Amino acid sequence: MNELDVLDVLHVFCRADGRHGNTLGVVRDPRRYPDQTSRQALAAELGFSETVFVDDPERGVVDIYTPSLRLPFAGHPLVGAAWLLDLEVVNPPAGEVWVRQDGEFTWITARAEWAPPRTLRQYGSAAEVEALEVPPPGEWVYAWGWEDEAAGRVRARAFPGRDDGIDEDEATGAAALLLTDRLGRALNITQGRGSQILTAPGPDDTIEIGGRVRLAVPAPAMR
């Protein structure tokens, strides 16, 4: 048995045609990876932006890893896991995250304080964002500029700066959450090569993050 025998691979925050989206590994049966050390090793070996381990599929208890660290909250793993498992709530270490389905979109409700710190750096135009070179490691930067400010359309790119093989993150729900909190308005974000993230402020300082999910590779036992 190899890693792919227990792994579903998703694309999260896809475009309407199913293209793009951030790659996510979902381990639905994590018994071979019972502790943080073994989970971190698998996440590093896979090299995806994030890998999520489902410890309790009924209660939605999940554990999230980048190739180099464990995260209490991350947007695209929670959207992806909720879609795959058809959950109404997911429970990462940060807190209880409610889920709703709206047509082709899966939405989660979260709080800005759950997101890890990010530097939100605004540029004068979408073209400036698109022209950026990957910066050297050291600072987690979410570069963004308005495509259409009146319509809430944003062009963004994300540079984790961790020097762990992820030089640019294709679609970053946590950073979109922070940007929505700062701007206080709904956003339609195009990130990376063309991924799409939707956000909307909610009641009691909550924010919804939504997107499309596509199954790229199902675990053989789950087919």
Side-chain angles (χ1 to χ4, degrees):
M1 180 182 291
N2 60 39
E3 288 78 6
L4 291 179
D5 290 327
V6 297
L7 185 74
D8 291 280
V9 180
L10 311 180
H11 293 154
V12 184
F13 299 128
C14 300
R15 302 294 298 185
D17 60 5
R19 298 174 60 214
H20 307 304
N22 203 352
T23 305
L24 173 69
V26 181
V27 181
R28 288 203 256 180
D29 183 359
R31 287 173 293 181
R32 291 178 59 201
Y33 308 96
D35 53 34
Q36 292 186 26
T37 299
S38 60
R39 293 178 180 192
Q40 188 64 76
L42 177 62
E45 180 179 350
L46 292 172
F48 299 145
S49 177
E50 275 106 8
T51 299
V52 60
F53 297 81
V54 182
D55 288 314
D56 187 330
E58 293 185 359
R59 295 192 300 120
V61 178
V62 297
D63 199 15
I64 306 166
Y65 293 79
T66 75
S68 60
L69 54 86
R70 185 178 187 235
L71 296 176
F73 172 87
H76 101 272
L78 297 179
V79 170
W83 175 87
L84 180 67
L85 301 173
D86 193 24
L87 295 171
E88 294 183 355
V89 63
V90 282
N91 282 282
E96 190 174 60
V97 175
W98 288 93
V99 181
R100 70 178 177 92
Q101 303 292 335
D102 181 14
E104 61 183 335
F105 289 91
T106 299
W107 293 83
I108 62 171
T109 299
R111 298 184 178 278
E113 60 262 31
W114 293 347
R118 305 284 186 252
T119 297
L120 305 180
R121 187 169 296 161
Q122 184 177 4
Y123 289 81
S125 68
E128 289 182 48
V129 174
E130 292 173 357
L132 292 172
E133 299 289 336
V134 175
E139 184 179 18
W140 212 116
V141 176
Y142 196 61
W144 71 280
W146 290 113
E147 283 189 327
D148 184 338
E149 184 172 359
R153 291 174 51 208
V154 168
R155 180 71 174 98
R157 294 174 65 192
F159 306 107
R162 295 186 301 254
D163 198 23
D164 62 1
I166 308 297
D167 295 330
E168 181 169 353
D169 203 15
E170 175 61 27
T172 315
L177 172 69
L178 292 173
L179 183 60
T180 303
D181 181 65
R182 173 179 291 185
L183 298 176
R185 58 179 296 185
L187 301 174
N188 183 339
I189 301 170
T190 298
Q191 187 180 323
R193 297 167 301 160
S195 300
Q196 184 182 30
I197 306 170
L198 302 181
T199 68
D204 300 323
D205 296 321
T206 61
I207 293 170
E208 282 196 305
I209 308 164
R212 304 176 187 87
V213 185
R214 299 290 183 269
L215 182 63
V217 179
M222 303 299 178
R223 287 176 182 168

